[in-house]
Amino acid sequence: MTETRLDVLAIGDALVDVKATAEDAFLVEEGLVKGSMQVLDTDGATRLYARMGQARETSGGSAANTVAGVAALGGRAGFVGQVADDQLGEIFAHDIRALGVEFLTPARADGLPTGRCLILITPDAQRTMSTYRGASHELDADALDPEQIRGAAILYLEAYLWRSAGPRAAMERAMGIAHEAGRKVAFTLSDIVCIDAHRAEMMAMVESGAIDMLFGNENEIRALADVADRDAAIDAIAAKVPLVVVTMGEAGAIAIERGRRASIPIARIGRGVVDTTGAGDLFAAGFLFGQAQGRSVEDSLRIGAIAAAEVISHFGSRPEGDLRALVAAEA
């Protein structure tokens, strides 16, 4: 196997996050389910944005958060995602490159504008997301750089983007290139909404052996397995994937690698949770970083827990202190 140039290369939504605080009553007025993610059309995104309070705009996207976390840990990271040739597209490209992530995808001069995610954060730190996909879901296989894929130890894919036909075809091609080069493919289930409409296709992908590492929270694993009991659902999926990683909120996280189990309790949350946006993404970043560095599953879980606890925000944020030092001291 040839040497790798990147530890993790992700393919995912290229979005700009628009974040604002909101009371529970506002979610009720808008018909939003707390903690969920809904997809908006252009008109819906315009209307909700107009009703949001004071907001801040930063580059985001689930898999983009993850590779930015890998870079913050000292890893070599790359990202593939589609933006438009517009102001938000320029912001996204600048931000992710400034964080040390390789971003080579050309901006599209035609088609939809750059996507954005409207995030409402309630006093209990839960985030409710309303996403306008925009140019992000116009990604196609022609935008891929095969050498970039071959040069990454782990290819990481997100279900948010996988739902659309064009990006799914690009991901399938990327998986083939990665496996031909002897690389590993990781997939995150992202959200129950991604599973509900595509469970059969996702299970077919899992059962085909296309996935080497599968990430999900306990509710997503239940939905994928179509089993109500958490432990039974985890066992059902673990029988089909070489390595399954499941986050379980206050119960911590568990990883099952070819029948061998490892678990970790929830890590400390510094001065307290302010915003859970990106916590799962950063957990994945820590775990993937550990795996790319040849660490054990137990160590990778520990790094993931530290990263999630210390970096609870969009990928433009920096943790208090040096995250690399925290991992070196605690992992």
Side-chain angles (χ1 to χ4, degrees), residues 13 37 39 133 137 158-164 168 187-202 220 223-224:
D13 277 327
M37 192 282 289
V39 176
R133 296 168 174 172
H137 282 242
E158 66 168 69
Y160 283 133
L161 187 63
W162 184 87
R163 293 175 297 168
S164 293
R168 183 162 61 250
F187 188 88
T188 176
L189 294 171
S190 297
D191 193 284
I192 288 178
V193 71
C194 301
I195 302 167
D196 287 344
H198 300 281
R199 181 181 174 275
E201 298 101 304
M202 285 187 178
E220 292 157 5
L224 182 64

Side-chain angles (χ1 to χ4, degrees), residues 169-227:
M171 288 182 171
E172 289 170 349
R173 179 177 175 186
M175 285 188 280
I177 294 170
H179 277 149
E180 287 172 4
R183 311 309 186 193
K184 291 185 177 180
V185 174
F187 188 88
T188 176
L189 294 171
S190 297
D191 193 284
I192 288 178
V193 71
C194 301
I195 302 167
D196 287 344
H198 300 281
R199 181 181 174 275
E201 298 101 304
M202 285 187 178
M203 284 301 297
M205 177 176 62
V206 166
E207 292 171 345
S208 73
I211 305 301
D212 302 298
M213 286 183 242
L214 182 69
F215 291 82
N217 64 34
E218 56 186 306
N219 293 327
E220 292 157 5
I221 293 295
R222 285 189 186 104
L224 182 64
D226 196 22
V227 174

